[in-house]
Amino acid sequence: MIVLVSFSAISLMLTAIAPDYSAYLICPLIYCIPILLAALWFPRQGLWVTAFLITGFALIRTYLSVLGFTIDPVMTGLHTMIFFWVFGVTTLFSQDSNLIASRCRRIVEEARDAKFLCDSETLRLVCASRQCADILGYTAQELVGIPAEMIWADEVDKVRFIEEMKLEGYIGNMEMTLRAHNGDARTVLLSCRALVPENLFECTVVDTGRLQDENKDLIRSNGRLMELIQQSNDIFFMQDTAGRILHFSWLRSPDYGFSPDEVVGRDMDCLLPEDLAAQHMEQVRKAIEEQKSVSYDLDLVIADARHTFSVTVAPYTGADGVLSGVVGSARDTTEVRRQRLACRQMSWEVDQWKGLVTTLSHELRTPLQPLIGYLQIIVEDPGYYGLPGETEKLLRTCLECAGQEQAVVEKVVELSLLTMDYVDLTIQDIPLRRLAGSVVSAGGYDTKAQIYNEIPEDVRIWGDPDRLYMAVECLVSNAVKYNEPPEKVWIRYAGSNENHYIMVCDNGIGIPGDIIESIFRPFYIGSTEKRGRKDGRTGLGLSIANKYILLHGGEITVTSAVGEGSTFTIRIPREV
């Protein structure tokens, strides 16, 4: 409308100033633009717009003639005829269905409803919305120009539709059968109105078949919901605004000697003592007044046992939008509360145990540190203290025992913390061959056995370098310690799409099959009749190493043959 008014004003203004700028030939042509737009956009008012512009043109020309300007009456009449001719041609041309569709397509195609436009004579589709195309199994573009015979499944319906439209110019919710792209018949409700100037019918489609399917799905879902309610141990109920029970469902009600049907239509005091029923109704009124759900706990004695129910009530409205009452559920949380109390007790005990471990570790470490320090000073220079050789030997033995005891204390504390506390891993990208090499060189294991580091140079894994170092160090240490000449140890690697595998193999004494499952238990030491704790064993190394690998989401496994050797395999996921 703004564009049309703007061009009209420009046309009239140019006509008024044309004598000053010798624009007699140009200004009349500008009138064709608003006339063209009016005929296309506002066909009903197009004639009035054209008449207004021609009248304005003639009056301005007459006024200019009175002022003394030279005005050719023949050209004025010719221009007037041209204006009428432009209006007539445009009006005739605009009746073409494709042009009409260009005016209406955007409105129809962007509609949220299923709509289409069709020719009022042939019922050939001019354009359709995406929702309409979905119902019929087409794309919106495929429906353009499609003949009526491909859409109307029943010729009788088609004839009845045309007659009703010509008679009334409007149809509301007429049941029709349309044919989908795959040939299936679709029952729909059709509402149409006639666009008289455009010779089109604008139709809205409601797929009643889909509504029926959705209704069936809703019924099935409701049935499944009722089955779940009836099989649940929770209590489900409905009450009206006066507090009468409209529905009650509890799977365990027969265990307590009553049927849900017995309480329907009665007040809540038929189930609860008077004080608890009053407490419940207070919560019901609160939910109704505040129009929101309310939750509270209800302590109740049933069959001489105390139960705690977590109750939730919420207001509900009927189909007419009027508040009908409340719906609610009650869950017996007695066992949950017991478990929570047990968890709290366990948490308290764990905290106590943590404190005990911390205290014990401090009490054990404190006397060992000065003892080891003083013994170390004495055995380094026994002559300074005037000690004979036999005394020096005894003190060195004491120093070794104290060192072993310190190692045991440190590992016990470490295992206790791993067992009871959360360990935060520091995940990094680790060059595996370099890590294995540092284990061998730092422990001096290559001086005690032949170590073959067969891990490829380019292997890198994600993990906590300190924990993985200690796990590998434990396996290499055991492979060297429990070996026999010629003492050989191989460190190897294999990978899959999901895991890294680090193998530590030896040709040592092997492990009997009946104790393989026990070697990862804390403090387990095999062959105690042959070896004592004087060799420094604590039975904690493998247990701690396994804990470290478990923290990475992996595990340590072992295969062994007595007299042939053992292979310990660390499995670590690629994504830790």
Side-chain angles (χ1 to χ4, degrees):
M1 180 62 71
I2 295 175
V3 173
L4 183 61
V5 172
S6 300
F7 273 108
S8 299
I10 291 171
S11 302
L12 296 173
M13 291 170 62
L14 285 176
T15 303
I17 64 174
D20 296 332
Y21 298 94
S22 300
Y24 288 109
L25 296 177
I26 298 175
C27 67
L29 299 178
I30 304 298
Y31 281 80
C32 296
I33 297 176
I35 292 173
L36 181 66
L37 295 177
L40 289 175
W41 292 350
F42 305 101
R44 294 184 180 181
Q45 292 80 25
L47 179 60
W48 294 103
V49 174
T50 303
F52 169 76
L53 290 173
I54 292 174
T55 302
F57 175 76
L59 290 175
I60 293 173
R61 283 298 187 99
T62 303
Y63 178 71
L64 292 175
S65 176
V66 172
L67 293 178
F69 292 98
T70 302
I71 304 297
D72 189 348
V74 176
M75 290 301 297
T76 301
L78 181 60
H79 285 146
T80 302
M81 294 176 61
I82 291 174
F83 296 156
F84 277 113
W85 178 82
V86 169
F87 169 75
V89 171
T90 305
T91 302
L92 182 63
F93 177 69
S94 66
Q95 300 306 310
D96 181 75
S97 61
N98 291 325
L99 186 61
I100 296 171
S102 68
R103 297 201 305 263
C104 303
R105 180 175 289 113
R106 184 173 182 181
I107 298 175
V108 172
E109 290 181 350
E110 294 183 358
R112 296 183 179 180
D113 301 328
K115 289 188 174 185
F116 67 85
L117 291 178
C118 65
D119 187 89
S120 61
E121 299 295 334
T122 64
L123 298 188
R124 183 184 294 270
L125 267 66
V126 175
C127 62
S129 67
R130 182 176 58 83
Q131 290 79 0
C132 179
D134 291 341
I135 292 175
L136 299 176
Y138 291 87
T139 64
Q141 190 62 34
E142 288 174 340
L143 282 175
V144 176
I146 197 168
E149 292 74 16
M150 295 183 63
I151 298 297
W152 260 263
D154 191 343
E155 185 67 24
V156 177
D157 281 350
K158 174 186 172 184
V159 173
R160 182 164 60 96
F161 171 78
I162 295 175
E163 291 177 351
E164 289 287 336
M165 287 300 296
K166 289 184 176 180
L167 180 65
E168 300 289 341
Y170 174 80
I171 290 178
N173 293 329
M174 177 182 287
E175 186 171 326
M176 293 282 177
T177 303
L178 301 182
R179 184 181 292 112
H181 187 257
N182 58 5
D184 293 343
R186 293 290 177 85
T187 302
V188 300
L189 293 178
L190 212 59
S191 298
C192 297
R193 66 187 180 97
L195 305 178
V196 178
E198 294 84 0
N199 294 322
L200 292 176
F201 292 157
E202 180 187 15
C203 301
T204 302
V205 182
V206 177
D207 187 357
T208 57
R210 184 175 298 180
L211 291 177
Q212 291 173 357
D213 293 339
E214 292 176 353
N215 187 49
K216 291 178 181 177
D217 291 341
L218 183 61
I219 292 174
R220 284 194 295 268
S221 299
N222 186 59
R224 288 194 294 268
L225 177 61
M226 292 305 299
E227 290 178 4
L228 290 174
I229 290 176
Q230 292 172 359
Q231 295 173 5
S232 173
N233 285 324
D234 294 348
I235 300 173
F236 297 92
F237 60 90
M238 295 176 63
Q239 293 177 264
D240 60 16
T241 54
R244 287 187 297 272
I245 300 174
L246 304 177
H247 171 80
F248 188 89
S249 174
W250 190 24
L251 184 64
R252 298 181 58 187
S253 59
D255 299 340
Y256 297 102
F258 73 94
S259 169
D261 295 335
E262 297 175 2
V263 301
V264 174
R266 301 172 63 183
D267 295 332
M268 193 58 72
D269 55 9
C270 69
L271 292 172
L272 301 175
E274 183 177 351
D275 57 336
L276 295 182
Q279 176 185 346
H280 172 76
M281 284 306 302
E282 182 179 347
Q283 300 297 328
V284 169
R285 285 189 291 270
K286 181 179 179 181
I288 293 174
E289 292 172 359
E290 298 182 1
Q291 288 292 293
K292 65 179 183 180
S293 60
V294 176
S295 299
Y296 73 100
D297 290 336
L298 184 68
D299 293 324
L300 181 64
V301 177
I302 304 178
D304 298 328
R306 188 178 185 84
H307 293 260
T308 299
F309 288 89
S310 178
V311 184
T312 300
V313 292
Y316 79 94
T317 57
D320 55 359
V322 177
L323 180 67
S324 300
V326 297
V327 295
S329 65
R331 172 168 294 183
D332 190 344
T333 58
T334 307
E335 187 60 31
V336 174
R337 293 185 65 180
R338 290 197 188 110
Q339 291 175 359
R340 287 176 181 172
L341 290 174
C343 288
R344 292 197 190 109
Q345 179 69 21
M346 186 179 297
S347 175
W348 180 82
E349 292 177 358
V350 168
D351 289 338
Q352 293 294 106
W353 180 248
K354 286 181 183 178
L356 178 61
V357 169
T358 302
T359 303
L360 286 176
S361 64
H362 175 75
E363 294 299 327
L364 291 173
R365 284 169 174 166
T366 299
L368 281 175
Q369 288 174 351
L371 174 63
I372 293 174
Y374 290 139
L375 286 174
Q376 187 72 38
I377 293 172
I378 293 173
V379 299
E380 285 179 356
D381 191 4
Y384 177 79
Y385 298 97
L387 298 177
E390 187 65 28
T391 302
E392 178 190 353
K393 186 183 297 185
L394 292 174
L395 290 176
R396 287 187 181 276
T397 302
C398 291
L399 179 60
E400 291 178 5
C401 293
Q404 292 176 13
E405 192 66 26
Q406 187 181 44
V408 171
V409 170
E410 294 295 336
K411 289 189 175 181
V412 168
V413 172
E414 187 173 6
L415 181 63
S416 299
L417 294 176
L418 281 173
T419 302
M420 296 184 303
D421 210 353
Y422 173 77
V423 178
D424 189 13
L425 297 178
T426 304
I427 304 299
Q428 299 178 12
D429 185 21
I430 305 171
L432 188 58
R433 180 180 175 85
R434 190 184 307 171
L435 182 141
S438 64
V439 168
V440 173
S441 59
Y445 298 113
D446 50 351
T447 63
K448 304 173 185 177
Q450 301 178 45
I451 309 294
Y452 301 94
N453 187 353
E454 298 179 357
I455 299 176
E457 192 68 43
D458 60 343
V459 174
R460 307 181 74 87
I461 67 174
W462 285 92
D464 187 313
D466 294 334
R467 266 76 180 194
L468 289 183
Y469 180 96
M470 286 186 276
V472 174
E473 195 272 340
C474 174
L475 299 186
V476 173
S477 173
N478 285 348
V480 172
K481 186 181 300 182
Y482 300 105
N483 212 322
E484 292 182 345
E487 297 170 340
K488 297 182 180 181
V489 176
W490 296 266
I491 306 175
R492 295 168 177 160
Y493 170 82
S496 67
N497 292 333
E498 297 181 353
N499 298 297
H500 298 287
Y501 298 94
I502 307 168
M503 287 82 73
V504 178
C505 314
D506 64 65
N507 63 337
I509 61 177
I511 305 172
D514 58 340
I515 67 170
I516 283 183
E517 297 295 330
S518 303
I519 61 176
F520 293 101
R521 294 207 310 260
F523 301 106
Y524 179 83
I525 298 178
S527 305
T528 53
E529 71 280 7
K530 295 181 180 179
R531 294 175 179 262
R533 290 184 184 266
K534 65 180 181 180
D535 59 0
R537 293 186 299 163
T538 62
L540 292 173
L542 281 176
S543 179
I544 293 175
N546 192 42
K547 292 286 186 184
Y548 285 147
I549 301 304
L550 289 174
L551 288 174
H552 286 76
E555 61 181 348
I556 300 179
T557 57
V558 58
T559 58
S560 183
V562 176
E564 297 181 8
S566 304
T567 297
F568 285 80
T569 302
I570 298 175
R571 179 188 65 82
I572 295 180
R574 287 186 178 272
E575 296 184 4
V576 178

